[in-house]
Amino acid sequence: MNIEMVFGNFPVLESVNLVFKKIEEVHLQEVYTIYDNDKVFEYCGIIPKHNLQTVNKMISHFDRDYHKKSRIKWGIFQKKQSNKLVGIIESMDFNQKVNMVSIGYFLAENYWGKGIATESVGALVKFLFEEVNINRIQAEVMPANKISKKVLLKNGFIKEGLLRQASLWSGKGVVDLEIYGILKEDYMNNLY
């Protein structure tokens, strides 16, 4: 794992239609729009935030987590509207012993169903395997979150199992989670 590819200088990623870059204070209104919507977090272990100042503090926490090398959150921006943040994608739980990382993502409701999540996950997977040299990427998904499971399957992830009552998620209590994973060898085999 080349952790410096992630935490050396903040990496800017690009895909066909999207740019992934650091979330700054100038994006406060778009970040607030995402976090203020209860529907966005229906299947997440995140409690919606209905206070602008709370969301503003969160943006500085994104920076703090990055400097602690524990988590990186990219803003997802459409290339045609380069300063319009439409979602957030993240990598966390970097386990250097087994060369593994977890990912998560969520979009502003207005951008659901447009292929943005699928393209975003594809771009992040490419970066993590090809640049960071990760061996395993995983994601935890609530069983009822059919859309997110489709996004992962389209990107080559495999459903590996159900963790029954295995996690405490904020605002949800103890929940079942399905675990999806992809190995570098799976990814490389899908390229050819």
Side-chain angles (χ1 to χ4, degrees):
M1 179 184 305
N2 184 352
I3 202 78
E4 285 307 303
M5 287 299 297
V6 180
F7 296 111
N9 290 315
F10 196 99
V12 175
L13 313 180
E14 282 193 46
S15 63
V16 175
N17 302 299
L18 306 168
V19 177
F20 310 87
K21 56 189 181 180
K22 188 174 179 185
I23 300 167
E24 313 263 5
E25 268 190 45
V26 301
H27 308 119
L28 175 59
Q29 197 53 56
E30 288 105 323
V31 176
Y32 178 72
T33 298
I34 293 170
Y35 277 92
D36 187 42
N37 185 336
D38 292 2
K39 281 191 197 167
V40 170
F41 299 107
E42 183 178 354
Y43 301 117
C44 291
I46 296 170
I47 297 172
K49 311 289 185 281
H50 304 297
N51 179 304
L52 196 64
Q53 285 165 312
T54 303
V55 174
N56 196 29
K57 277 192 198 128
M58 284 173 46
I59 292 173
S60 67
H61 291 170
F62 297 168
D63 213 31
R64 178 199 66 199
D65 291 345
Y66 178 76
H67 289 293
K68 286 201 296 196
K69 298 184 179 184
S70 65
R71 173 183 300 251
I72 178 170
K73 282 189 194 296
W74 285 272
I76 302 169
F77 298 85
Q78 288 185 310
K79 281 186 178 173
K80 61 184 179 220
Q81 299 172 286
S82 64
N83 275 331
K84 180 77 171 146
L85 182 140
V86 300
I88 295 172
I89 192 163
E90 62 184 329
S91 295
M92 63 272 190
D93 304 327
F94 287 84
N95 183 332
Q96 294 188 60
K97 287 185 178 114
V98 293
N99 200 4
M100 176 176 90
V101 68
S102 295
I103 64 167
Y105 45 88
F106 39 92
L107 299 178
E109 187 178 3
N110 291 348
Y111 296 91
W112 292 359
K114 299 179 185 328
I116 294 171
T118 300
E119 186 175 333
S120 297
V121 169
L124 182 55
V125 164
K126 181 180 191 328
F127 171 71
L128 291 171
F129 283 142
E130 295 182 14
E131 306 292 325
V132 187
N133 202 23
I134 294 283
N135 183 55
R136 173 183 167 80
I137 303 169
Q138 68 179 32
E140 297 174 339
V141 185
M142 288 182 85
N145 193 347
K146 292 179 174 44
I147 305 290
S148 191
K149 293 191 280 190
K150 277 186 191 165
V151 165
L152 293 167
L153 292 170
K154 283 182 193 171
N155 278 292
F157 283 73
I158 296 165
K159 179 182 173 185
E160 297 177 336
L162 174 70
L163 306 172
R164 297 178 311 138
Q165 300 176 18
S167 193
L168 177 63
W169 274 21
S170 301
K172 305 280 186 251
V174 175
V175 296
D176 293 348
L177 292 173
E178 289 180 9
I179 189 93
Y180 286 75
I182 184 171
L183 301 177
K184 187 168 190 176
E185 65 188 57
D186 304 330
Y187 171 77
M188 297 309 285
N189 289 338
N190 287 340
L191 289 181
Y192 304 107

